[in-house]
Amino acid sequence: MADRVVSEVEWIFLKTLSAKNRFPPLFVVGAPRCGTTIPLLHLVNTFEFSYFPNISKRNPQHPLIAATLGALIWDYTPTTESNYGVVKGPMAPSDGWQIFHRWFPRYDHSEQVDTESLSDLRRMVAFLEFLMGGPFLNKNNNNSTRIQELSQLFPRSLFVHIRRNPRDAVASLIRAREEKGVSPDEWWGVAPPHRHDTAPTGTVERSVLQVCEVDDHIRNSLQEISEYRRFGVWYKSFCEKPERLERWVEDKYDDFGSDFVRHANKPTRTAYTPSSSWKSLSISTRNQVEKLLSIHCR
C-alpha cells in the first residue's frame, strides 16, 4: 500500500517537471559480454554524470524518490569492480533495466514500444541531471537494440559503441550462461531483434548469434545517426588508451556548451587489462565457435 502511494506521488510530481534536458544524454552500447561496464565506470569515475543508481533499479516504480533519498544517505565510491555488469553499492550506476522496461518491452521487439509516455523518461532524465549535476549516462544491453527510439527521444544524444574480439565475447557469454544455469533454449541478455522467437537450441550457437547479430544491429542503427554523435572503439583499444574516449566525450560536451565537470580526484588509472575466457573452452567448443563465427560474423 505504502509503495503504491509513493509511486503515485512520484508520477504526479513527474508530470509537473519540464521535459527539457540540460545536456545530451550518453548511451554506451554493445553486444552482451563485449566489455561495456569498464568504459561506463571509467566515465563515471572521471566526470560528473547522472544515472539510475542501484537504489532506483531496486525501486523501479518510484526511481526518482529512491535516488533522492539515496543521495542524502550514501555516496558512490569510485570502483572498477563489477560482477557481470553489476556494481555494488546503493548509489553505484546501474543499467536501470526494470525502469526502461516501462517503455521498451524486455528483449521482445515484437511488442509495441509505449511511445505515448516516452516523454516521462525524458523528464526522469532531466530530474537526474538536476539531482546529480551532470549529463545522463547509461549502459544497458537491451537499449543497444533501441538506438533509434532513444535518438528520436533525445535528438542530441551521444552513443559510444564498444566492440570486442568476437571469440572473447562469445567465450565470456558461454561461461556466463554456464555459471547462471541458463537453459540452451533461452537467451541471456538482449537477443537479436529478428530472432526473438526463431533461434536455434544450443548454448554455443545462441551465443555466437547473440554477439554477432546484436553487434550488426547496433552498427546498422548507428548508421542512421550523424557520425558526429557516435564513437566506436574496440574493448582492447579502450583498455590500452582510455583517454581517447575521455577526450571524445569532453570535446562533445564542450561543443554543446555544456557545463561539464571533471572530478577533481580523477582516478590515476590510465590503462586496464582485458581478460579472456577463450582458452577455458574445450578444443571442440572452440572449433565449433570458430566455424559459426566464420558464418555469422562480419
Coordinates of all heavy atoms in Angstrom, one line a residue, residues 122-174:
R122 N 12.1 11.2 -20.6 CA 12.9 12.5 -20.7 C 12.8 13.3 -19.5 O 13.8 13.9 -19.1 CB 12.3 13.2 -21.9 CG 13.3 14.3 -22.4 CD 12.9 14.7 -23.9 NE 11.6 15.1 -24.0 CZ 10.8 14.7 -25.0 NH1 11.2 13.9 -25.9 NH2 9.5 15.1 -25.0
R123 N 11.6 13.3 -18.8 CA 11.5 14.1 -17.6 C 12.4 13.5 -16.5 O 13.0 14.2 -15.7 CB 10.1 14.2 -17.2 CG 9.2 15.1 -18.1 CD 7.8 15.2 -17.5 NE 6.9 16.0 -18.3 CZ 6.2 15.6 -19.3 NH1 6.1 14.3 -19.6 NH2 5.5 16.5 -20.0
M124 N 12.4 12.1 -16.4 CA 13.2 11.5 -15.4 C 14.6 11.8 -15.6 O 15.3 12.1 -14.6 CB 13.0 9.9 -15.5 CG 11.8 9.3 -14.9 SD 11.9 7.5 -14.9 CE 10.4 7.2 -14.0
V125 N 15.1 11.8 -16.8 CA 16.5 12.1 -17.1 C 16.8 13.6 -16.7 O 17.8 13.9 -16.1 CB 16.8 11.9 -18.6 CG1 18.2 12.5 -19.0 CG2 16.8 10.4 -18.9
A126 N 15.9 14.5 -17.0 CA 16.1 15.9 -16.6 C 16.2 16.0 -15.1 O 17.0 16.8 -14.6 CB 14.9 16.7 -17.1
F127 N 15.4 15.3 -14.3 CA 15.5 15.4 -12.9 C 16.8 14.8 -12.4 O 17.4 15.4 -11.5 CB 14.3 14.6 -12.2 CG 14.4 14.6 -10.7 CD1 13.9 15.7 -10.0 CD2 14.9 13.6 -10.0 CE1 13.9 15.8 -8.6 CE2 15.0 13.6 -8.6 CZ 14.5 14.8 -7.9
L128 N 17.2 13.7 -12.9 CA 18.5 13.1 -12.5 C 19.7 14.0 -12.8 O 20.6 14.1 -12.1 CB 18.7 11.8 -13.2 CG 17.8 10.6 -12.7 CD1 17.9 9.4 -13.5 CD2 18.1 10.3 -11.2
E129 N 19.6 14.8 -14.0 CA 20.6 15.8 -14.3 C 20.7 16.8 -13.2 O 21.8 17.2 -12.7 CB 20.3 16.5 -15.6 CG 20.4 15.6 -16.8 CD 20.0 16.3 -18.1 OE1 19.3 17.4 -18.0 OE2 20.3 15.9 -19.2
F130 N 19.5 17.3 -12.7 CA 19.4 18.3 -11.6 C 20.0 17.7 -10.3 O 20.8 18.3 -9.6 CB 18.0 18.7 -11.5 CG 17.8 19.5 -10.2 CD1 18.2 20.9 -10.1 CD2 17.2 19.0 -9.1 CE1 18.0 21.6 -9.0 CE2 17.0 19.7 -7.9 CZ 17.4 21.0 -7.9
L131 N 19.6 16.5 -10.0 CA 20.0 15.9 -8.7 C 21.5 15.6 -8.7 O 22.1 15.9 -7.6 CB 19.2 14.5 -8.6 CG 19.5 13.7 -7.3 CD1 19.0 14.5 -6.1 CD2 18.8 12.3 -7.4
M132 N 22.1 15.1 -9.7 CA 23.4 14.6 -9.7 C 24.4 15.6 -10.4 O 25.6 15.5 -10.2 CB 23.6 13.3 -10.3 CG 22.8 12.2 -9.6 SD 23.1 10.5 -10.4 CE 22.5 9.5 -9.1
G133 N 23.9 16.6 -11.1 CA 24.7 17.7 -11.6 C 25.4 17.4 -12.8 O 26.4 18.1 -13.1
G134 N 25.0 16.4 -13.6 CA 25.8 16.2 -14.9 C 24.9 15.5 -15.9 O 23.7 15.1 -15.6
P135 N 25.4 15.3 -17.1 CA 24.7 14.6 -18.2 C 24.3 13.2 -17.7 O 24.9 12.5 -16.9 CB 25.6 14.5 -19.3 CG 26.7 15.5 -19.0 CD 26.8 15.6 -17.5
F136 N 23.2 12.7 -18.3 CA 22.7 11.3 -18.0 C 23.6 10.3 -18.8 O 23.8 10.5 -20.0 CB 21.3 11.2 -18.4 CG 20.7 9.8 -18.2 CD1 20.4 9.4 -16.9 CD2 20.5 8.9 -19.2 CE1 19.8 8.1 -16.6 CE2 19.9 7.7 -19.0 CZ 19.6 7.3 -17.7
L137 N 24.0 9.3 -18.1 CA 24.9 8.2 -18.7 C 24.2 6.9 -18.4 O 23.8 6.6 -17.3 CB 26.3 8.3 -18.1 CG 27.2 7.1 -18.5 CD1 27.6 7.2 -20.0 CD2 28.5 7.3 -17.7
N138 N 24.1 6.0 -19.5 CA 23.5 4.7 -19.3 C 24.2 3.7 -20.1 O 24.6 3.9 -21.2 CB 22.0 4.8 -19.6 CG 21.3 3.4 -19.4 OD1 21.1 2.7 -20.4 ND2 21.1 3.0 -18.2
K139 N 24.3 2.5 -19.5 CA 24.8 1.3 -20.2 C 23.8 0.2 -19.9 O 23.6 -0.2 -18.8 CB 26.2 0.9 -19.7 CG 26.8 -0.3 -20.4 CD 26.5 -1.7 -19.8 CE 26.7 -1.8 -18.3 NZ 26.5 -3.2 -17.8
N140 N 23.1 -0.2 -21.0 CA 22.0 -1.2 -20.8 C 22.0 -2.0 -22.1 O 21.6 -1.4 -23.2 CB 20.7 -0.5 -20.5 CG 19.5 -1.4 -20.4 OD1 19.5 -2.5 -20.9 ND2 18.5 -1.0 -19.7
N141 N 22.4 -3.3 -22.1 CA 22.4 -4.0 -23.3 C 21.1 -4.1 -24.1 O 21.1 -4.1 -25.3 CB 22.9 -5.5 -23.1 CG 24.4 -5.5 -22.7 OD1 24.8 -6.2 -21.8 ND2 25.2 -4.9 -23.5
N142 N 20.0 -4.1 -23.4 CA 18.7 -4.1 -24.0 C 18.5 -2.8 -24.8 O 17.9 -2.8 -25.9 CB 17.6 -4.2 -23.0 CG 16.2 -4.5 -23.6 OD1 16.2 -5.4 -24.5 ND2 15.2 -3.9 -23.2
N143 N 19.0 -1.7 -24.4 CA 18.9 -0.4 -25.1 C 19.8 -0.4 -26.3 O 19.7 0.5 -27.2 CB 19.3 0.8 -24.2 CG 18.2 1.1 -23.2 OD1 17.1 0.6 -23.3 ND2 18.5 1.9 -22.2
S144 N 20.7 -1.3 -26.4 CA 21.6 -1.4 -27.6 C 20.7 -1.7 -28.9 O 21.2 -1.5 -30.0 CB 22.7 -2.5 -27.4 OG 23.6 -2.1 -26.4
T145 N 19.6 -2.3 -28.7 CA 18.7 -2.5 -29.8 C 17.5 -1.5 -29.8 O 16.5 -1.7 -30.5 CB 18.1 -4.0 -29.8 OG1 17.4 -4.2 -28.5 CG2 19.2 -5.0 -29.9
R146 N 17.7 -0.4 -29.1 CA 16.6 0.6 -29.0 C 17.3 2.0 -29.4 O 16.8 3.0 -29.0 CB 16.0 0.7 -27.6 CG 15.3 -0.6 -27.2 CD 14.1 -0.9 -28.0 NE 13.4 -2.0 -27.5 CZ 12.3 -2.5 -28.1 NH1 11.8 -2.1 -29.2 NH2 11.7 -3.6 -27.5
I147 N 18.3 1.9 -30.2 CA 19.0 3.2 -30.5 C 18.2 4.2 -31.3 O 18.2 5.4 -31.0 CB 20.3 2.8 -31.3 CG1 21.3 2.1 -30.4 CG2 20.9 4.1 -31.9 CD1 22.5 1.5 -31.2
Q148 N 17.4 3.7 -32.2 CA 16.5 4.6 -33.0 C 15.5 5.3 -32.1 O 15.3 6.5 -32.2 CB 15.8 3.8 -34.1 CG 16.8 3.3 -35.2 CD 16.1 2.6 -36.3 OE1 14.9 2.2 -36.2 NE2 16.9 2.3 -37.3
E149 N 14.9 4.6 -31.2 CA 13.9 5.2 -30.3 C 14.6 6.2 -29.4 O 14.0 7.3 -29.1 CB 13.2 4.1 -29.5 CG 12.3 3.2 -30.3 CD 13.0 2.0 -30.8 OE1 14.2 2.0 -30.9 OE2 12.2 1.0 -31.1
L150 N 15.7 5.9 -28.9 CA 16.5 6.8 -28.0 C 16.9 8.0 -28.7 O 16.9 9.1 -28.2 CB 17.6 6.1 -27.3 CG 17.3 5.0 -26.3 CD1 18.5 4.2 -26.0 CD2 16.6 5.6 -25.1
S151 N 17.4 7.9 -29.9 CA 17.8 9.0 -30.7 C 16.7 9.9 -31.0 O 16.8 11.2 -31.1 CB 18.5 8.5 -32.0 OG 18.9 9.6 -32.8
Q152 N 15.5 9.4 -31.3 CA 14.3 10.2 -31.6 C 13.9 11.0 -30.3 O 13.5 12.1 -30.4 CB 13.2 9.4 -32.1 CG 13.4 8.8 -33.5 CD 12.4 7.8 -33.9 OE1 11.5 7.5 -33.2 NE2 12.7 7.2 -35.1
L153 N 13.9 10.3 -29.2 CA 13.5 10.9 -27.9 C 14.5 12.0 -27.5 O 14.1 13.0 -27.0 CB 13.4 9.8 -26.8 CG 12.9 10.3 -25.4 CD1 11.5 10.8 -25.5 CD2 13.0 9.1 -24.4
F154 N 15.8 11.7 -27.7 CA 16.9 12.7 -27.3 C 17.6 13.0 -28.6 O 18.6 12.4 -28.9 CB 17.8 12.0 -26.3 CG 17.1 11.6 -25.0 CD1 16.9 10.3 -24.8 CD2 16.8 12.5 -24.0 CE1 16.3 9.8 -23.6 CE2 16.2 12.1 -22.8 CZ 15.9 10.8 -22.6
P155 N 17.2 14.0 -29.3 CA 17.8 14.3 -30.7 C 19.3 14.6 -30.6 O 20.0 14.5 -31.7 CB 17.0 15.5 -31.2 CG 15.7 15.4 -30.4 CD 16.0 14.9 -29.1
R156 N 19.8 15.1 -29.5 CA 21.2 15.4 -29.4 C 22.0 14.3 -28.7 O 23.2 14.5 -28.4 CB 21.4 16.7 -28.6 CG 20.8 17.9 -29.2 CD 21.2 19.2 -28.5 NE 20.9 19.1 -27.1 CZ 21.5 19.9 -26.2 NH1 22.3 20.8 -26.5 NH2 21.1 19.8 -24.9
S157 N 21.4 13.2 -28.4 CA 22.1 12.1 -27.7 C 23.3 11.6 -28.3 O 23.5 11.6 -29.6 CB 21.1 10.9 -27.5 OG 20.6 10.5 -28.7
L158 N 24.3 11.1 -27.5 CA 25.5 10.6 -28.0 C 25.6 9.1 -27.7 O 25.0 8.6 -26.7 CB 26.7 11.3 -27.2 CG 26.7 12.8 -27.3 CD1 27.8 13.4 -26.4 CD2 27.0 13.3 -28.7
F159 N 26.3 8.4 -28.6 CA 26.4 6.9 -28.4 C 27.9 6.5 -28.5 O 28.6 6.9 -29.4 CB 25.6 6.2 -29.5 CG 24.1 6.5 -29.4 CD1 23.5 7.6 -30.0 CD2 23.3 5.6 -28.7 CE1 22.2 7.8 -29.9 CE2 21.9 5.8 -28.6 CZ 21.4 6.9 -29.2
V160 N 28.3 5.6 -27.6 CA 29.6 5.0 -27.6 C 29.4 3.5 -27.8 O 28.7 2.9 -27.0 CB 30.4 5.3 -26.3 CG1 31.6 4.5 -26.2 CG2 30.7 6.8 -26.1
H161 N 29.9 3.0 -28.9 CA 29.8 1.6 -29.3 C 31.0 0.9 -28.9 O 32.1 1.1 -29.5 CB 29.4 1.5 -30.8 CG 29.3 0.1 -31.3 ND1 29.3 -0.2 -32.6 CD2 29.1 -1.1 -30.6 CE1 29.1 -1.5 -32.7 NE2 29.0 -2.1 -31.5
I162 N 30.9 0.0 -28.0 CA 32.0 -0.9 -27.5 C 32.0 -2.2 -28.3 O 30.9 -2.9 -28.3 CB 32.0 -1.1 -26.0 CG1 32.0 0.2 -25.2 CG2 33.3 -2.0 -25.6 CD1 33.1 1.1 -25.4
R163 N 33.1 -2.6 -29.0 CA 33.1 -3.8 -29.7 C 34.3 -4.7 -29.1 O 35.2 -4.1 -28.5 CB 33.4 -3.6 -31.2 CG 32.3 -2.7 -31.8 CD 32.5 -2.6 -33.3 NE 32.2 -3.9 -33.9 CZ 32.6 -4.1 -35.2 NH1 33.3 -3.3 -35.9 NH2 32.2 -5.3 -35.7
R164 N 34.2 -6.0 -29.2 CA 35.2 -6.9 -28.6 C 35.5 -8.0 -29.6 O 34.6 -8.4 -30.4 CB 34.6 -7.4 -27.3 CG 35.7 -8.2 -26.5 CD 35.1 -8.7 -25.2 NE 36.0 -9.4 -24.3 CZ 35.7 -9.9 -23.2 NH1 34.5 -9.9 -22.7 NH2 36.7 -10.5 -22.4
N165 N 36.7 -8.5 -29.6 CA 37.0 -9.7 -30.4 C 35.9 -10.7 -30.2 O 35.6 -11.1 -29.0 CB 38.3 -10.3 -29.9 CG 38.8 -11.4 -30.7 OD1 38.0 -12.4 -31.0 ND2 40.0 -11.4 -31.1
P166 N 35.2 -11.1 -31.3 CA 34.0 -12.0 -31.1 C 34.4 -13.3 -30.4 O 33.5 -13.8 -29.6 CB 33.6 -12.3 -32.6 CG 34.2 -11.1 -33.3 CD 35.4 -10.7 -32.7
R167 N 35.6 -13.8 -30.5 CA 35.9 -15.0 -29.8 C 35.9 -14.8 -28.3 O 35.3 -15.7 -27.6 CB 37.3 -15.5 -30.2 CG 37.5 -15.9 -31.7 CD 38.8 -16.7 -31.9 NE 39.9 -16.1 -31.2 CZ 41.1 -16.6 -31.2 NH1 41.3 -17.8 -31.8 NH2 42.1 -16.0 -30.6
D168 N 36.4 -13.7 -27.8 CA 36.4 -13.4 -26.4 C 35.0 -13.2 -25.9 O 34.7 -13.6 -24.8 CB 37.3 -12.2 -26.1 CG 38.8 -12.5 -26.4 OD1 39.2 -13.7 -26.2 OD2 39.5 -11.6 -26.7
A169 N 34.2 -12.4 -26.7 CA 32.9 -12.1 -26.3 C 32.0 -13.4 -26.2 O 31.3 -13.6 -25.2 CB 32.2 -11.1 -27.2
V170 N 32.1 -14.2 -27.2 CA 31.4 -15.5 -27.2 C 31.8 -16.4 -26.0 O 31.0 -17.0 -25.3 CB 31.5 -16.2 -28.5 CG1 30.9 -17.6 -28.4 CG2 30.8 -15.4 -29.6
A171 N 33.1 -16.5 -25.8 CA 33.6 -17.3 -24.7 C 33.1 -16.8 -23.4 O 32.7 -17.6 -22.5 CB 35.1 -17.4 -24.7
S172 N 33.1 -15.5 -23.2 CA 32.6 -14.9 -21.9 C 31.1 -15.2 -21.8 O 30.6 -15.5 -20.7 CB 32.9 -13.4 -21.9 OG 32.4 -12.8 -20.7
L173 N 30.4 -15.1 -22.9 CA 28.9 -15.4 -22.8 C 28.6 -16.8 -22.5 O 27.7 -17.1 -21.7 CB 28.3 -14.9 -24.1 CG 26.8 -15.0 -24.2 CD1 26.1 -14.2 -23.0 CD2 26.3 -14.5 -25.5
I174 N 29.4 -17.7 -23.1 CA 29.2 -19.2 -22.8 C 29.5 -19.4 -21.3 O 28.7 -20.1 -20.6 CB 30.1 -20.0 -23.7 CG1 29.6 -20.0 -25.1 CG2 30.1 -21.5 -23.2 CD1 30.6 -20.6 -26.1

